[in-house]
Amino acid sequence: MPIQARPRRKARLRAAAIAAVVLLGITACTGAPGPGPSASTPATATDAPVTFNFGTGADPAGLDPALVSDTESYRVTRQVLEGLVTIDPVTGAPAPSLATSWKALDDGLAYQFKLRKGVTFQDGTAFDAKAVCTNFERWYTLPKATRGDGAGTMFKQVFREFSDQGKDSLYDSCTVDGSQEVTLRLKMRLTGFLQALTLPAFAISSPAALEKGTANTLNQTFSGNKVSKYALHPVGTGPFTFTSSGPGTVTMTANPKYWGEKGQIHKLVFTTYEEPETRLAALEDGTLDGFDPVTPSNFDKLVKAGKQVLQRDPFSVVYVGINQAIPIMKDAKVREAVAAGIDKTTLVTDFFIAGTATTAQFIPPKLSGFNNAVAGIPFDPVKAKALLKSSSYKGQELKFYYPTNATRTYLPTPEKVYAEIARELTAIGFNIKPVPIAWNDGYINAVTSPGDHALSLMGWNGSYADPDNFVGPLFGAANGELGLQDPQLVSKITRARSMPNGPDRVVAYDAINKLIATTVPAVPLAFPISAIALSDKVASYPLSPVLNEVFNKVTLSDSAK
């Protein structure tokens, strides 16, 4: 259910329906057909063109969704590219997009999709089954020079491996059954498969644009990251066409040949404002029509000024990562001391929007597998000191990475959160060395790659309604962020993700939660509430806990048209 804005908010606010995050049983095999291609023109066709300016807290890492996983990159690519399925804004279930219907075959080892007819990519290339298979085969065969260890790609997080480790991959093949029909085959049942396909990472790019942009050759730079030419100019079938990007700015224009609802916005501009106060000032003076995220420091200011503030249902987790590739962090007592030394209640009270809940687990309450009985390790500085004293820790310097110059939906004030955690850990006897890294200077890559970080401040925004989305990416395979080697945990996650929805699967994720709480490979802190601010120009906004917010669904007030 939506979380209501505070009573002082103007009564005229009409919030868009928030997607319900529910346990989705995908034993139903067929999706309902979606609407056919639309020949309609934008609702404002007879009015002056509308430019919509939206403020963000960080630059995108890149615009090839297959090779990024950050929310700001996806905020852009969701407007330009579409996948086979999308998310129903009311139920949260997979819904038709470029596929109009589907059915499961071979007891969930294959899915056959009927594709939407009459759709073209923004470069004029026809959308068809061959284009779908071109994309899936590209993801499966990504060369190591392009993907690195793959940990930052959703393909590996969902399908576990690429073609060079094919025996360990859950992906099998893509078959063209006809011009508008395609079959995807798996090597093992994947209960959340349809939900996973709603991820922006599985949006379909124009094969011609991928080839022209040498998408697998990272010889360009974007926001300090190595990217391909294609990642500088993505081409999909979405309601907006990518126009240009520059430092701190991405511009898109309405796609005149879009198959679906074209919306009221003609030009869409995303502009980065690293400081919360500058975002607030830009909204107040009319430079911005909205921004995301709202921080605790400006929440009350917005409400008092009568601005629209919409809160998303919590569907993200913020945590402290522990890197067991650092020898001292392999000591369970050291990890337990870290957990016992952090006062989550103080963090939530002081640095997050009111209503944010502390947590001892990674799976949020709205998903099966959340277990109220998992208490984790409570804040107890006396116990933390005793654990540390009896451990192998002898005052070694521990590098603690944290991001700067950015605001995330799951981490509105990272510098302040880091400072409080570092203070608490120092008080119990840890020797903490701060390592601040600007978000746009490659923070994600620094934390997720093998390195010297003993601790790191990170978060994860859920992308689809399946518990595997929260534990699989972090703990389901070895990665550079945690340096984790836990065959028992990996085995449990691999088994659970393939089990059909039902009581047995709930029990399996209960066991996973308990094991994570016991072995402490990372310390979950909270399920943050995030909020978005909008000007009077907006009548409604497609708010979504999984951030599936596409701007052709924005409704403008009469005065803005």
Side-chain angles (χ1 to χ4, degrees), residues 12 124 250 334 553 559:
R12 57 172 170 70
V250 177
V334 173
K553 301 295 184 181
S559 61

Side-chain angles (χ1 to χ4, degrees), residues 276-506:
E277 294 307 315
T278 59
R279 289 197 296 275
L280 176 62
L283 183 73
E284 291 177 332
D285 68 18
T287 301
L288 291 178
D289 301 306
F291 69 78
D292 182 29
V294 171
T295 59
S297 63
N298 58 33
F299 188 100
D300 286 340
K301 296 175 185 176
L302 287 161
V303 174
K304 288 177 181 177
K307 299 296 184 182
Q308 302 187 48
V309 180
L310 308 183
Q311 297 186 51
R312 300 182 182 93
D313 276 359
F315 201 58
S316 64
V317 60
V318 61
Y319 62 90
V320 173
I322 301 176
N323 184 9
Q324 293 187 47
I326 305 301
I328 194 63
M329 307 313 290
K330 292 181 180 179
D331 187 333
K333 289 184 177 180
V334 173
R335 301 196 303 275
E336 291 169 12
V338 171
I342 298 175
D343 184 357
K344 299 175 185 180
T345 300
T346 293
L347 294 175
V348 164
T349 301
D350 291 351
F351 307 120
F352 291 87
I353 291 174
T356 294
T358 62
T359 180
Q361 55 194 293
F362 283 83
I363 297 175
K366 288 184 178 292
L367 295 182
S368 65
F370 176 81
N371 186 347
N372 281 317
V374 177
I377 298 176
F379 174 56
D380 187 339
V382 174
K383 179 180 178 180
K385 290 179 180 179
L387 282 166
L388 205 57
K389 186 176 181 179
S390 64
S391 74
S392 58
Y393 182 73
K394 302 302 178 187
Q396 296 94 322
E397 180 180 86
L398 302 181
K399 292 185 178 180
F400 194 153
Y401 283 28
Y402 67 97
T404 63
N405 301 330
T407 303
R408 316 301 296 165
T409 54
Y410 52 74
L411 195 55
T413 54
E415 295 93 342
K416 292 180 180 179
V417 172
Y418 160 77
E420 176 60 21
I421 295 174
R423 183 192 66 78
E424 293 169 355
L425 295 183
T426 299
I428 64 173
F430 281 110
N431 178 9
I432 300 295
K433 178 178 176 58
V435 182
I437 301 176
W439 188 271
N440 291 337
D441 286 343
Y443 181 74
I444 291 179
N445 184 63
V447 169
T448 58
S449 301
D452 61 357
H453 53 283
L455 302 169
S456 58
L457 185 59
M458 273 292 283
W460 177 263
N461 199 91
S463 302
Y464 60 95
D466 190 89
D468 184 64
N469 184 229
F470 282 86
V471 296
L474 269 179
F475 311 112
N479 59 63
E481 182 176 357
L482 302 180
L484 183 62
Q485 299 292 334
D486 190 336
Q488 183 185 9
L489 181 56
V490 170
S491 176
K492 285 181 178 292
I493 291 173
T494 301
R495 176 176 175 269
R497 69 200 312 266
S498 65
M499 296 173 68
N501 283 320
D504 290 344
R505 194 169 195 245
V506 172

